[in-house]
Amino acid sequence: MMKIKSAVSSAVLFSALLGLSACSDDADKQQTNEAQQTEAQVTVADAEKFVADAEKRLSEISEYGARIAWVNANFVTHDTTQLNAKVGEEYTKLGVELANGAKQFNDLELPYDLNRKLEMIKLGLTLPAPSDADKTKKLAEITSKLDSIYATGKSPDGRNLGQLSEVLRTSRDPQEQLEAWLGWRTVSPEMRPLYQEMVEIANEGSKELGYKDTGAMWRSKYDMPADDFANEMDRLWGQVEPLYEALHCHVRAELNEEYGDEVVALDKPIPAHLLGNMWAQQWGNIYDLVAPEGATKGVDLDPILRKHYGVDHEVVTYNEKEKAVKKMVKTAENFFSSLGFAPLPDTFWERSLFVKPRDRDVQCHASAWDIDNQEDIRIKMCTEINAEDFQTVHHELGHNYYQRAYKDQPILYKGSANDGFHEAIGDTVALSITPAYLKQIGLIEEEPDADADIALLMRSAMDKVAFLPFGLMVDKWRWQVFNGEVSAADYNKGWWNLRTEYQGIAPAVERSEVDFDPGAKYHIPGNTPYSRYFLAHILQFQFFRDMCEMAGNEGPLHRCSFYGNKEVGAKLNAMLEMGSSRPWQDALEAMTGQREMDATAVLEYYAPLKTWLDEQNKDRNCGW
Ligand code: X8Z
Ligand code: ZN
């Protein structure tokens, strides 16, 4: 997760002025009346002053809050969790004050930047609290606690998420996989009452700010009406759904061959524990089970990486691993350097966390941080040397290069065009990790020829295409939770309904409302909105197609690499530098000439695979 910026500022004055109180219909009305009264008196100069104050306070809390959050995530203890809650509380308080304060300028004709910055302030928080000190405190305590439950979670037999994930990645024994899958899901039931209370408080806060509920607030962050955004998500999904269904059909058939009808039925959703990943969100780890037979082999990166980075022996020490991981990060840095980006600062290497420490709990979910809004950028990853983390290292550096590119923007514009852009940059670069590129940097000796295309595309689709419905359903669930369509009594049922409807997967053993399976996915207790990853999985192909065209690529899209192309780098940098100063449509147009997100590049990229899958599936009953 990218370290989220706070949008907050000077508002003691404004909240007093607005007479805010705990949320009720009456309070809302009072607020509107007073706001209108105030509106008559406020001037553009007042708005300027308000925003300037906001930016100052925001900068201060952002740096200090980031340092506390960093320490907490790197040393998850009772005390750091409390400190994190404390600063979270301060931050939310400020955010709510500011968002309410910003409303007084609603009817004022304002210059573009002032207006945009006020909008940023209104939309700045992810989970707003109502203007009630006790509830704000409670919300911060809950979110900090949820985060720490996830970070410190272990299965009943003492295995952590990394160990359990390794079983899913490498084991081909369904029983062993099911145990690991179930083991991790013992961590989350404890979260359920906390989550429920959190939803209630955040919804109260969102209503106070003028949104129907917290989901509606999240959907309002895309430079278009909230309802239009939900339709956009569905439209994009509609573009890629046939490709996903073709992949699903083939994968299910191959798993049926491997495990038999008893484990994988041909007319049912795929059991969720068999796809090589704890959440069945990316399936690349079981590529070996679905690899096209008879076709020329692609590139099996896992052993290549282990050999290249010097950890292909039996017992790997901590120091060896850290050294190997740093080298792998260097490889990713080198790619960005080849595009013309300045090297990462020394402090990146000194202050990042690269490997899971042996003696303490850390929040292992990979993240990129911008501590001081200038040069102090870092990653935090419990990195392993494998293909999955090779990809993630590029993903995280994409965040860091974005952060550094917009460092000279005012604090309210230090963000991406929309949050999908932030998630897409590193992935776009990583699409250039083609065999030709791997040969260029000495990871492989020979490039497989065109006969290997289906294998290469299949390996990629197992991650990128498989991800799409997961990327979509996570926030569909949260939208339904926030708007009450899914009540607390049905949290798990609602989750599995969507998992089955969109992904065509199902739990192998019955689940109940004693469980809280959504909580076993980082972004739920972590309260990181998830639509951004769905968008990123569309946008990265859209960016990539354009960058490849610029690089003069003439072959098929999936064989394109823009490694070393400074012209492409300059164009990318121009978009990154804009931060969130313009609506995302402008940034997309600057980059691709299009103002709409569009999945045709995904379809183009995988077109040969789709033809092949349709041929394989022609006598199969697809769907679930
Ligand atoms: O959370 C992440 C990144 C950090 S922003 C590692 N991702 C999503 C996930 O792991 O669920 C990247 C892909 C999707
Ligand atoms: Zn990310």
Side-chain angles (χ1 to χ4, degrees), residues 1-2 281-282 365-367 392 395-396 399 423 467 470 521 523 530 533 537:
M1 179 200 61
M2 184 211 16
Q281 65 179 68
Q282 282 135 339
H365 189 82
S367 52
T392 305
H395 176 95
E396 296 308 333
H399 287 309
E423 298 304 333
F467 180 79
F470 183 73
K521 174 66 197 165
H523 302 70
Y530 212 81
Y533 302 106
H537 276 68

Side-chain angles (χ1 to χ4, degrees), residues 237-255:
W237 168 238
Q239 286 185 288
V240 293
E241 197 178 355
L243 176 61
Y244 178 73
E245 284 180 7
L247 180 70
H248 180 282
C249 191
H250 178 68
V251 168
R252 183 173 61 186
E254 295 290 329
L255 288 174

Side-chain angles (χ1 to χ4, degrees), residues 120-135:
M120 296 284 186
I121 289 172
K122 286 185 223 161
L123 288 164
L125 289 171
T126 303
L127 293 182
S131 307
D132 169 324
D134 290 345
K135 288 185 181 174

Side-chain angles (χ1 to χ4, degrees), residues 471-496:
L472 184 70
M473 62 73 52
V474 172
D475 276 356
K476 281 204 182 268
W477 180 79
R478 274 192 292 215
W479 295 348
Q480 291 178 355
V481 165
F482 284 127
N483 74 15
E485 235 177 285
V486 168
S487 70
D490 285 331
Y491 276 164
N492 225 39
K493 191 166 140 226
W495 175 257
W496 282 108

